[in-house]
Amino acid sequence: MTWLITGGAGYIGAHVVRAMLDAGERVVVYDDLSTGFAERVPEDVPLEVGSTLDEPRLTRVIREHGVEGVVHLAAKKQVGESVELPLHYYRENVEGLRTLLAAVTGTGVSSFVFSSSAAVYGMPDVHLVTEETPCAPMSPYGETKLAGEWLVRATGRAAGLSTASLRYFNVAGAAGPELADTGVFNVVPMVFEKLTEGAAPRIFGADYPTPDGTCVRDYIHVVDLAEAHVATARRLREAPGTDLTLNIGRGEGVSVRELIDHINEVTGHDTAPVVTDRRPGDPARVVAAADRAATELGWKARYGVADMIASAWAGWTAAAAVPAAAPAPTSPGS
């Protein structure tokens, strides 16, 4: 079976590609390279450069490569940016998904895995969020992911498509230095950047209703996340008509202040953070109940926060030792 991985040249996507290959699956990568890098894609894996808004190109790629399943990772994903640019996020994340699903249903693809987010929950007043926790996203980004789940589920039911929506929690770590997250959009590399510059890491708000006043999140190693995609792909292939919505996390909350303490310890730094204003759209606490993923997929996260930080730091320092490459070309895709 051949799987199309949209966003497969990105940080998470490259790990999913590697995990799928290691599991013996055939893959094709589709990416607009707006934030991904072609060099992350293995030489023997076809790379198709294009936008998820381009239905004719998607249709051609699916047919030419005999694609039978899709893992859709391509999306815009910055919460704060989505507050400033809601129209852009709805176009890229919702219209891009609609266009992709039109190509999928028009070509007879049988399985579809959707990259969703814990951002769909908003600020739930529960210790652990289950898949039944009411969704009330606090940002346009979270809204687009929830709308995406609805669209995937409705399309699956109408077209006989096996579907799964995976609600990611906070992703960190790397399978190897060459696949590390070197962008400064997620909290771990943002802290790394400040430490490398000799500056204090920033905490966005310390007046939340949590034990130390900083946001509490569930962090998951990107290798565990990639393996969850493999387990999901196999489940959809083996059980036609499946419709799953699953939390992919560890079920352990770590505050931002605790995370920075862990990073200082692992990297050998001793730099106290500074507190700045809250960011729009940030909930106080979101931690997963991951029991359903264990039951449905036979999957469970294996790595802890120290593993995530150590592997991410190895990649960050390796990248810092290499001269900067020319920026990748950009295009208006997801």
Side-chain angles (χ1 to χ4, degrees):
M1 184 169 179
T2 297
W3 292 84
L4 182 71
I5 315 294
T6 70
Y11 162 57
I12 294 174
H15 282 87
V16 172
V17 168
R18 177 175 289 190
M20 295 285 275
L21 291 173
D22 288 346
E25 304 289 346
R26 296 187 300 275
V27 301
V28 178
V29 169
Y30 189 92
D31 201 299
D32 70 2
L33 300 183
S34 59
T35 55
F37 298 93
E39 54 267 29
R40 283 180 172 149
V41 180
E43 291 184 1
D44 57 347
V45 171
L47 169 61
E48 297 281 356
V49 179
S51 166
T52 55
L53 293 162
D54 188 344
E55 185 179 343
R57 181 165 179 75
L58 285 163
T59 298
R60 179 187 65 76
V61 167
I62 290 170
R63 285 178 172 158
E64 285 187 358
H65 293 281
V67 170
E68 299 169 82
V70 172
V71 177
H72 181 44
L73 299 143
K76 300 304 179 189
K77 54 164 286 187
Q78 301 307 314
V79 169
E81 182 183 60
S82 78
V83 174
E84 298 172 0
L85 301 171
L87 293 176
H88 181 58
Y89 269 65
Y90 270 85
R91 177 176 183 267
E92 299 295 322
N93 292 2
V94 179
E95 177 58 17
L97 172 60
R98 188 208 64 79
T99 304
L100 175 60
L101 285 169
V104 161
T105 56
T107 53
V109 169
S110 61
S111 300
F112 194 92
V113 182
F114 176 58
S115 164
S116 188
S117 168
V120 301
Y121 292 115
M123 191 185 299
D125 187 21
V126 294
H127 184 67
L128 296 176
V129 291
T130 72
E131 291 82 357
E132 280 73 39
T133 299
C135 293
M138 297 175 61
S139 67
Y141 166 68
E143 293 167 3
T144 66
K145 287 300 184 180
L146 184 56
E149 290 187 12
W150 295 339
L151 184 54
V152 167
R153 184 175 302 112
T155 303
R157 289 172 178 169
L161 185 68
S162 295
T163 65
S165 293
L166 304 184
R167 292 173 175 170
Y168 302 177
F169 285 67
N170 290 57
V171 185
E178 71 282 2
L179 295 184
D181 184 7
T182 55
V184 285
F185 305 111
N186 298 320
V187 61
V188 171
M190 287 172 68
V191 174
F192 287 171
E193 181 184 48
K194 292 298 183 183
L195 294 178
T196 302
E197 293 173 349
R202 290 183 295 171
I203 292 176
F204 296 102
D207 57 348
Y208 287 92
T210 61
D212 66 14
T214 68
C215 292
V216 173
R217 296 290 183 267
D218 190 334
Y219 294 89
I220 182 168
H221 200 298
V222 67
V223 169
D224 284 327
L225 179 63
E227 290 175 352
H229 283 79
V230 173
T232 304
R234 287 177 168 168
R235 171 67 187 278
L236 296 188
R237 179 174 58 206
E238 294 165 0
T242 296
D243 172 17
L244 293 174
T245 300
L246 301 173
N247 288 337
I248 306 297
R250 292 190 309 124
E252 179 180 329
V254 179
S255 77
V256 174
R257 192 177 295 279
E258 290 171 333
L259 181 71
I260 293 174
D261 288 344
H262 283 305
I263 291 173
N264 271 321
E265 181 178 356
V266 170
T267 64
H269 288 81
D270 186 20
T271 307
V274 296
V275 176
T276 63
D277 293 338
R278 291 186 181 191
R279 295 183 302 186
D282 275 349
R285 174 188 169 90
V286 185
V287 180
D291 303 326
R292 181 177 292 179
T295 300
E296 296 286 353
L297 305 178
W299 169 90
K300 187 175 181 180
R302 297 183 292 128
Y303 297 102
V305 171
D307 299 308
M308 299 178 214
I309 295 169
S311 61
W313 181 246
W316 180 270
T317 54
V322 177
T330 60
S331 63
S334 297

